Amino acid sequence: DIQLTQSPSSLSASVGDRVTITCQASQLITNFLNWYQQKPGEAPKLLIYDASHLETGVPSRFSGSGSGTHFSFTIRSLQPEDVATYYCQHYDTPLFTFGPGTTVHIK
Amino acid sequence: QLQLRESGPGLVKPSETLSLTCTVSGGSITSNNYYWGWIRQPPGKGLEWIGNIYSRGTPYYNPSLKRRVTISIDTSKRQFSLKLRSLIAADTGIFYCARLVSESGGYYFDSWGQGTLVTVSS
């Protein structure tokens, strides 16, 4: 089974900072890697699909990149409303795996 | 706009069976590109995929839960359901239903219900 590792597990940054989270897969997974945002007390929300495609309605400060086994998720300019836990997720026929999550705090 | 809503008991006893239903509104449950899934989240922990079902196909389950899980769909009621048997305390958590989009080889959960908290306790 493919395992997903996220780093860091948590981070604190200032408003306006550039924040990057990485997701490492234990095997090649092409570009079938998605990113979700989960704010406290809320359901997860899809932000990025297929590694780099921004979901409709999601602010452009969010972006994703990568392929193979190494993927990145970036918030270009951190905003207070971005406080959340971010999960990567992969599909490997027919199974779905979520990464352990990265919690983003504001300094 | 698509909406999904989970319903079911909030408290279930150990060894019993949990039954949850997800009702879909504002969109088709039989579209070719959509599957329907369940994901759970233990308190303070991460997300765990439980399984998916297609409107006209075979359900797929997380191997770690496969022996205890059944997912079914009733398109006439625009509902899909989860049964989780032989409950233990570790099954406590928030259960989410979600729409799974299949597009160009990729799959992603694009719409989620608000989640329902299930506590396993005697």
Side-chain angles (χ1 to χ4, degrees):
Chain A
D1 294 353
I2 293 175
Q3 307 298 319
L4 298 177
T5 305
Q6 287 184 235
S7 61
S9 57
S10 67
L11 65 90
S12 290
S14 299
V15 172
D17 281 355
R18 181 184 183 93
V19 169
T20 297
I21 299 167
T22 64
C23 181
Q24 185 87 20
S26 58
Q27 303 174 37
L28 282 172
I29 60 172
T30 62
N31 67 332
F32 295 148
L33 193 286
N34 308 314
W35 291 94
Y36 300 83
Q37 175 194 63
Q38 186 178 32
K39 295 183 178 181
E42 296 185 6
K45 174 186 175 183
L46 176 69
L47 298 183
I48 302 288
Y49 64 94
D50 294 349
S52 61
H53 293 81
L54 192 67
E55 172 70 343
T56 302
V58 173
S60 60
R61 66 179 180 274
F62 297 103
S63 65
S65 64
S67 65
T69 62
H70 189 83
F71 298 83
S72 296
F73 171 81
T74 297
I75 306 173
R76 187 180 66 241
S77 176
L78 186 66
Q79 300 301 304
E81 60 267 32
D82 300 336
V83 169
T85 300
Y86 295 84
Y87 295 93
C88 57
Q89 174 257 311
H90 168 63
Y91 165 73
D92 178 29
T93 312
L95 309 179
F96 293 78
T97 303
F98 288 92
T102 296
T103 302
V104 175
H105 304 278
I106 299 287
K107 278 184 184 173
Chain B
Q1 184 175 349
L2 185 77
Q3 289 190 325
L4 299 94
R5 188 182 78 249
E6 305 89 351
S7 58
L11 179 64
V12 190
K13 290 181 169 54
S15 80
E16 293 189 342
T17 296
L18 170 67
S19 294
L20 295 177
T21 297
C22 183
T23 302
V24 179
S25 59
S28 173
I29 199 171
T30 57
S31 175
N32 286 341
N33 289 350
Y34 300 147
Y35 293 70
W36 306 94
W38 289 95
I39 299 100
R40 70 177 182 176
Q41 185 171 37
K45 296 189 177 180
L47 302 167
E48 180 182 33
W49 172 68
I50 300 172
N52 302 327
I53 192 166
Y54 185 57
S55 60
R56 295 180 288 276
T58 304
Y60 295 98
Y61 303 126
N62 187 324
S64 68
L65 297 170
K66 186 174 183 177
R67 289 181 300 172
R68 298 196 291 134
V69 172
T70 301
I71 296 176
S72 58
I73 190 166
D74 186 336
T75 56
S76 67
K77 293 182 178 179
R78 303 168 65 86
Q79 294 177 335
F80 60 103
S81 300
L82 168 72
K83 289 189 186 300
L84 182 62
R85 298 175 290 277
S86 304
L87 290 172
I88 59 176
D91 292 316
T92 293
I94 298 174
F95 286 72
Y96 296 99
C97 62
R99 185 176 74 175
L100 178 65
V101 175
S102 168
E103 194 169 75
S104 302
Y107 291 76
Y108 47 88
F109 296 99
D110 75 329
S111 294
W112 295 64
Q114 64 184 15
T116 186
L117 175 62
V118 176
T119 301
V120 180
S121 175
S122 54

